[in-house]
Amino acid sequence: MKRLLVLGADGYLGFPVSLYFASKGWSVHAVDNLSKRHIENIEDIAPLINLPAFKDRFFEWNENYARKDSEKIKSYILDIATNNRQLYKLFEEINPDAIIHFAEQPSAPYSMKGRSEAVNTQVNNITGTLNLIFAIKKFNPSCHLVKLGTMGEYGTPNIDIEEGWLNINHNNRNDRVLFPKKPGSFYHLSKVHDSNNLEYSCRTWGLRITDLNQGIVYGSHTEITKNNNLHTSFHYDSIFGTAINRFISQGLSGNPITIYGTGNQTRAYLHIDDVIKCIDIALNNPAKEGEFKVRNQFTEFKSINELASIVHDALLEIDYSPEIKRIENPRVEEDSHYYNPKNKSFLDLGLKAKNINKNVIIDIAKYLEPYAKSIREYSFMPNIKWKN
Ligand code: USQ
């Protein structure tokens, strides 16, 4: 059996990904430092569906859903950013064939709250990834690291966005360089710094790394997590909640759909099911020794106005009457810009994706409906401003 280490396994994506690969025959070792739960407590926010404790989530899977002993998942509470010795011990113990690394502070607004949150985000994210690179080099340099980066690393440049690299011709000489980055928060910057460190370690030590520049994920459940007590961490608040998930939750709870600024900001998106498909493809097509492979992991791009109107129309069909409201943009971001990112590498490998349409939105809304009464309405409005 191939051994897989999933870092950040308590999160929105890390949990469903751990269960999926366990069900596909990998021996899964799931790690988390519980930092998202810590931030939730401090910021007075919570996932829409209450989650059992981290280890209990895997106990539930192991006892009631794993079809055989080999599908059982081992879970570990470990902070990879502050405890490199424990991380090294874990590497010695499991000797992973592959690693999927989600273990980072994922919220752009949180990272913009103030000095301490910006420092926490960057120290946590960059140090954790550095500790991981050193663990790989020391114990298992041939294992394949799949690292979650973000489309936001690129920002909104006035040229087409390639997959990680750019061929340039300058003064009649050619080279291939990392695509220039223009991110829009200290969180997104932490991922840029990670990418540079990862590329350097491939070039210098021959590591094998895939950086997945992922778009904004939407969706409430996967085939596995829709089961009782296997729910994932779905957020609708202004810190961890993201555009489409927030819009559906706002409509379901009778709150206005909040468009920040003009709503012309265009971003790349993908459904949570497609996250799993993409990671499966990435694991099955690993980077070669010394290769820093970048894949843009999204399936379509749309403006906020388009998304708000799709969610609005879908909810109307199931008898809600959502209002769309433009509010002052708390962020500093271009609201009228060129946007043309490429995602050829997954399409070439056969990705068949879902689209953001009425039916997909209704499926999410129907799943969330029974929980809508527990929505904390006060956490919809953004209270962190980029310029404060
Ligand atoms: N927006 C609204 N109304 C809202 C919430 C957001 O108009 O109520 C707008 C924002 O101004 C922004 C866009 O929607 O232009 C996306 O914001 P978001 O909160 O959905 O996503 P973002 O902050 O970019 O971050 C999220 C995840 C992050 C991941 C990233 C992928 O939190 O972990 O890396 O999506 S990407 O955006 O491609 O970098």
Side-chain angles (χ1 to χ4, degrees):
M1 264 177 101
K2 284 196 168 179
R3 294 168 303 272
L4 179 66
L5 182 59
V6 180
L7 304 170
D10 197 31
Y12 175 48
L13 304 177
F15 185 66
V17 163
S18 301
L19 303 190
Y20 172 82
F21 284 103
S23 77
K24 290 290 166 200
W26 288 77
S27 162
V28 174
H29 298 260
V31 173
D32 207 284
N33 70 350
L34 312 186
S35 60
K36 194 172 178 194
R37 292 179 190 246
H38 181 65
I39 297 174
E40 286 166 0
N41 287 336
I42 290 176
E43 299 295 332
D44 189 21
I45 53 181
L48 178 55
I49 307 174
N50 274 333
L51 303 179
F54 172 62
K55 287 194 161 253
D56 291 345
R57 300 176 82 184
F58 291 101
F59 183 79
E60 177 70 20
W61 164 261
N62 292 345
E63 290 302 304
N64 297 323
Y65 295 94
R67 291 161 301 186
K68 42 194 177 197
D69 271 359
S70 59
E71 288 190 1
K72 292 190 175 172
I73 296 175
K74 279 202 177 150
S75 57
Y76 311 78
I77 295 174
L78 163 62
D79 186 346
I80 66 164
T82 57
N83 203 338
N84 67 303
R85 281 175 200 283
Q86 274 305 111
L87 180 64
Y88 286 5
K89 255 182 83 183
L90 193 65
F91 261 76
E92 274 188 299
E93 198 180 305
I94 35 181
N95 190 26
D97 295 291
I99 302 160
I100 307 174
H101 176 24
F102 294 99
E104 299 204 331
Q105 193 297 101
S107 164
Y110 175 79
S111 78
M112 297 304 291
K113 189 173 179 191
R115 188 205 65 86
S116 131
E117 291 80 4
V119 171
N120 283 348
T121 301
Q122 293 211 348
V123 170
N124 177 70
N125 295 2
I126 298 164
T127 315
T129 298
L130 270 176
N131 284 342
L132 180 60
I133 297 171
F134 274 87
I136 296 173
K137 171 178 175 272
K138 191 171 164 69
F139 296 101
N140 195 349
S142 65
C143 84
H144 178 212
L145 169 60
V146 175
K147 157 73 166 56
L148 272 291
T150 172
M151 285 300 291
E153 290 182 39
Y154 302 114
T156 50
N158 201 29
I159 56 173
D160 294 349
I161 297 175
E162 305 299 330
E163 300 202 62
W165 294 91
L166 186 64
N167 295 319
I168 55 164
N169 177 293
H170 181 64
N171 294 345
N172 296 323
R173 297 187 69 82
N174 298 315
D175 208 344
R176 180 175 179 256
V177 296
L178 284 178
F179 196 92
K181 306 285 175 69
K182 237 199 294 183
S185 75
F186 287 119
Y187 152 72
H188 288 98
L189 271 158
S190 74
K191 299 270 192 181
V192 174
H193 303 323
D194 281 340
S195 294
N196 283 324
N197 290 341
L198 294 165
E199 188 274 335
Y200 179 71
S201 66
C202 293
R203 189 158 35 98
T204 309
W205 299 328
L207 302 192
R208 305 162 66 203
I209 298 176
T210 299
D211 201 6
L212 298 176
N213 282 342
Q214 184 168 259
I216 303 170
V217 183
Y218 67 97
S220 47
H221 58 284
T222 67
E223 203 41 45
I224 300 182
T225 68
K226 70 181 185 198
N227 288 306
N228 235 354
N229 286 332
L230 291 181
H231 303 289
T232 196
S233 170
F234 178 93
H235 273 267
Y236 57 85
D237 51 78
S238 63
I239 291 186
F240 289 128
T242 49
I244 302 176
N245 290 350
R246 276 168 58 74
F247 295 169
I248 299 171
S249 310
Q250 289 167 332
L252 287 177
S253 58
N255 287 277
I257 292 174
T258 51
I259 292 182
Y260 295 171
T262 63
N264 291 323
Q265 311 90 298
T266 301
R267 297 286 182 274
Y269 294 85
L270 75 165
H271 189 277
I272 190 166
D273 280 340
D274 291 333
V275 170
I276 290 176
K277 285 188 219 156
C278 287
I279 293 180
D280 208 350
I281 291 175
L283 274 184
N284 284 317
N285 296 275
K288 300 184 196 74
E289 189 182 322
E291 184 187 15
F292 179 64
K293 175 87 196 160
V294 184
R295 299 183 190 276
N296 289 347
Q297 182 162 309
F298 69 91
T299 56
E300 59 195 314
F301 49 92
K302 292 210 177 306
S303 73
I304 288 293
N305 287 328
E306 289 173 288
L307 295 177
S309 118
I310 296 171
V311 172
H312 173 270
D313 294 353
L315 292 183
L316 272 186
E317 268 191 29
I318 51 170
D319 297 331
Y320 289 86
S321 37
E323 176 203 345
I324 295 181
K325 190 171 172 184
R326 286 197 167 67
I327 61 172
E328 190 192 335
N329 195 339
R331 306 182 181 202
V332 175
E333 58 185 359
E334 287 179 308
D335 59 5
S336 176
H337 58 87
Y338 181 76
Y339 199 63
N340 190 27
K342 307 283 174 64
N343 63 342
K344 191 172 173 312
S345 83
F346 280 118
L347 300 179
D348 284 352
L349 291 168
L351 174 68
K352 297 268 175 294
K354 288 196 174 181
N355 286 322
I356 307 170
N357 58 34
K358 268 194 218 167
N359 290 342
V360 170
I361 301 297
I362 290 173
D363 176 57
I364 300 168
K366 287 274 177 206
Y367 178 85
L368 297 176
E369 217 170 17
Y371 307 96
K373 55 188 174 309
S374 60
I375 282 176
R376 303 178 186 186
E377 302 193 346
Y378 59 84
S379 63
F380 278 132
M381 278 302 165
N383 52 17
I384 295 170
K385 294 202 165 64
W386 262 226
K387 276 204 169 159
N388 267 358

Short mmCIF file of all heavy atoms in Angstrom, two decimals, residues 24 64 106 110 137 140 153 159 201 213 250 258 264-265 280 282 291 315 331 362 369 384:
data_model
loop_
_atom_site.label_atom_id
_atom_site.label_comp_id
_atom_site.label_asym_id
_atom_site.label_seq_id
_atom_site.Cartn_x
_atom_site.Cartn_y
_atom_site.Cartn_z
N LYS A 24 -9.62 5.01 -1.70
CA LYS A 24 -9.02 4.58 -2.98
C LYS A 24 -7.78 3.72 -2.78
O LYS A 24 -6.98 3.52 -3.70
CB LYS A 24 -8.63 5.82 -3.82
CG LYS A 24 -9.82 6.57 -4.35
CD LYS A 24 -10.53 5.76 -5.44
CE LYS A 24 -11.89 6.35 -5.74
NZ LYS A 24 -12.81 5.46 -6.39
N ASN A 64 -17.24 3.44 11.31
CA ASN A 64 -18.54 3.28 10.63
C ASN A 64 -18.50 3.31 9.11
O ASN A 64 -19.51 3.01 8.47
CB ASN A 64 -19.52 4.35 11.13
CG ASN A 64 -19.78 4.18 12.61
OD1 ASN A 64 -19.86 3.06 13.09
ND2 ASN A 64 -19.88 5.29 13.33
N PRO A 106 -5.56 29.92 5.76
CA PRO A 106 -6.05 30.15 4.40
C PRO A 106 -6.82 31.45 4.15
O PRO A 106 -7.31 31.66 3.04
CB PRO A 106 -7.02 28.96 4.22
CG PRO A 106 -7.59 28.77 5.61
CD PRO A 106 -6.53 29.17 6.58
N TYR A 110 -8.18 37.53 7.30
CA TYR A 110 -7.52 37.37 8.60
C TYR A 110 -6.10 37.94 8.52
O TYR A 110 -5.64 38.63 9.43
CB TYR A 110 -7.50 35.89 8.99
CG TYR A 110 -6.72 35.63 10.26
CD1 TYR A 110 -7.28 35.88 11.51
CD2 TYR A 110 -5.41 35.16 10.21
CE1 TYR A 110 -6.55 35.68 12.68
CE2 TYR A 110 -4.67 34.96 11.37
CZ TYR A 110 -5.25 35.21 12.59
OH TYR A 110 -4.52 35.02 13.75
N LYS A 137 13.87 16.33 2.38
CA LYS A 137 15.28 16.21 1.97
C LYS A 137 16.02 15.21 2.85
O LYS A 137 16.79 14.38 2.38
CB LYS A 137 15.94 17.58 2.06
CG LYS A 137 17.44 17.56 1.86
CD LYS A 137 18.00 18.96 1.93
CE LYS A 137 19.52 18.97 1.88
NZ LYS A 137 20.14 18.85 3.20
N ASN A 140 13.28 11.47 2.90
CA ASN A 140 12.68 10.80 1.75
C ASN A 140 12.65 11.71 0.52
O ASN A 140 11.60 12.12 0.04
CB ASN A 140 11.25 10.38 2.12
CG ASN A 140 10.69 9.38 1.14
OD1 ASN A 140 11.29 9.16 0.09
ND2 ASN A 140 9.56 8.80 1.46
N GLU A 153 -1.92 34.11 -6.19
CA GLU A 153 -0.49 34.47 -6.25
C GLU A 153 -0.23 35.38 -7.45
O GLU A 153 0.61 36.27 -7.41
CB GLU A 153 0.39 33.23 -6.36
CG GLU A 153 0.42 32.39 -5.10
CD GLU A 153 1.35 31.19 -5.21
OE1 GLU A 153 2.44 31.30 -5.80
OE2 GLU A 153 0.97 30.11 -4.71
N ILE A 159 -1.73 40.59 -18.60
CA ILE A 159 -1.33 39.61 -19.63
C ILE A 159 -1.94 38.26 -19.27
O ILE A 159 -2.38 38.07 -18.13
CB ILE A 159 0.22 39.46 -19.73
CG1 ILE A 159 0.82 39.09 -18.36
CG2 ILE A 159 0.87 40.72 -20.28
CD1 ILE A 159 2.30 38.75 -18.40
N SER A 201 14.15 24.49 -3.84
CA SER A 201 14.54 23.18 -3.31
C SER A 201 14.51 22.11 -4.40
O SER A 201 15.27 21.14 -4.34
CB SER A 201 13.68 22.79 -2.11
OG SER A 201 12.36 22.60 -2.52
N ASN A 213 -1.86 25.82 -8.08
CA ASN A 213 -2.39 27.17 -7.88
C ASN A 213 -3.90 27.11 -8.02
O ASN A 213 -4.46 27.19 -9.11
CB ASN A 213 -1.76 28.15 -8.88
CG ASN A 213 -0.35 28.53 -8.43
OD1 ASN A 213 0.00 28.35 -7.26
ND2 ASN A 213 0.45 29.03 -9.34
N GLN A 250 -26.12 33.45 2.44
CA GLN A 250 -26.82 34.72 2.63
C GLN A 250 -28.26 34.62 2.14
O GLN A 250 -29.21 35.00 2.82
CB GLN A 250 -26.06 35.85 1.91
CG GLN A 250 -24.75 36.20 2.61
CD GLN A 250 -23.81 37.07 1.79
OE1 GLN A 250 -23.82 37.04 0.55
NE2 GLN A 250 -22.95 37.84 2.46
N THR A 258 -23.76 39.93 -0.67
CA THR A 258 -22.89 41.11 -0.59
C THR A 258 -21.87 41.15 -1.72
O THR A 258 -20.90 40.38 -1.72
CB THR A 258 -22.13 41.11 0.76
OG1 THR A 258 -21.51 39.82 0.91
CG2 THR A 258 -23.06 41.37 1.93
N ASN A 264 -17.07 43.75 -10.53
CA ASN A 264 -16.43 43.34 -11.79
C ASN A 264 -15.16 42.52 -11.57
O ASN A 264 -14.52 42.10 -12.54
CB ASN A 264 -16.09 44.57 -12.65
CG ASN A 264 -17.35 45.23 -13.16
OD1 ASN A 264 -18.31 44.53 -13.50
ND2 ASN A 264 -17.37 46.55 -13.19
N GLN A 265 -14.79 42.32 -10.30
CA GLN A 265 -13.60 41.49 -10.02
C GLN A 265 -13.85 40.09 -10.56
O GLN A 265 -14.85 39.48 -10.25
CB GLN A 265 -13.34 41.34 -8.51
CG GLN A 265 -13.36 42.57 -7.66
CD GLN A 265 -14.74 42.87 -7.11
OE1 GLN A 265 -15.67 43.11 -7.88
NE2 GLN A 265 -14.91 42.88 -5.80
N ASP A 280 -6.18 14.02 -7.48
CA ASP A 280 -5.98 12.64 -7.94
C ASP A 280 -5.11 12.64 -9.21
O ASP A 280 -4.14 11.88 -9.33
CB ASP A 280 -7.37 12.03 -8.25
CG ASP A 280 -7.38 10.53 -8.08
OD1 ASP A 280 -6.29 9.95 -7.90
OD2 ASP A 280 -8.47 9.94 -8.12
N ALA A 282 -3.07 15.00 -10.18
CA ALA A 282 -1.72 15.47 -9.85
C ALA A 282 -0.89 14.36 -9.21
O ALA A 282 0.30 14.19 -9.51
CB ALA A 282 -1.79 16.69 -8.92
N GLU A 291 11.99 18.55 -10.60
CA GLU A 291 11.00 19.37 -11.32
C GLU A 291 10.08 20.11 -10.37
O GLU A 291 9.53 19.52 -9.43
CB GLU A 291 10.15 18.48 -12.24
CG GLU A 291 9.17 19.30 -13.10
CD GLU A 291 8.17 18.44 -13.90
OE1 GLU A 291 8.02 17.24 -13.62
OE2 GLU A 291 7.54 19.00 -14.81
N LEU A 315 -31.68 30.40 -6.38
CA LEU A 315 -32.46 30.41 -5.13
C LEU A 315 -33.92 30.79 -5.39
O LEU A 315 -34.82 30.29 -4.71
CB LEU A 315 -31.81 31.35 -4.10
CG LEU A 315 -30.45 30.88 -3.55
CD1 LEU A 315 -29.92 31.84 -2.49
CD2 LEU A 315 -30.51 29.47 -2.99
N ARG A 331 -11.58 45.57 0.56
CA ARG A 331 -10.26 45.17 0.08
C ARG A 331 -9.67 46.22 -0.85
O ARG A 331 -10.41 47.03 -1.41
CB ARG A 331 -10.36 43.84 -0.69
CG ARG A 331 -11.02 42.76 0.11
CD ARG A 331 -11.06 41.45 -0.65
NE ARG A 331 -11.73 40.47 0.20
CZ ARG A 331 -11.59 39.16 0.08
NH1 ARG A 331 -10.82 38.67 -0.87
NH2 ARG A 331 -12.22 38.34 0.89
N ILE A 362 -28.33 24.83 -6.66
CA ILE A 362 -29.50 24.29 -5.94
C ILE A 362 -29.10 23.06 -5.13
O ILE A 362 -29.55 22.87 -3.99
CB ILE A 362 -30.66 23.98 -6.93
CG1 ILE A 362 -31.23 25.29 -7.47
CG2 ILE A 362 -31.76 23.14 -6.27
CD1 ILE A 362 -32.26 25.14 -8.58
N GLU A 369 -29.75 23.78 3.52
CA GLU A 369 -31.04 24.28 4.02
C GLU A 369 -31.35 23.89 5.48
O GLU A 369 -31.69 24.74 6.29
CB GLU A 369 -32.16 23.76 3.10
CG GLU A 369 -33.26 24.73 2.88
CD GLU A 369 -34.19 24.25 1.76
OE1 GLU A 369 -34.16 23.05 1.38
OE2 GLU A 369 -34.95 25.09 1.28
N ILE A 384 -13.02 43.61 8.41
CA ILE A 384 -11.57 43.83 8.27
C ILE A 384 -11.34 44.60 6.98
O ILE A 384 -11.79 44.18 5.91
CB ILE A 384 -10.81 42.49 8.22
CG1 ILE A 384 -10.98 41.75 9.55
CG2 ILE A 384 -9.34 42.71 7.88
CD1 ILE A 384 -10.49 40.31 9.53
#
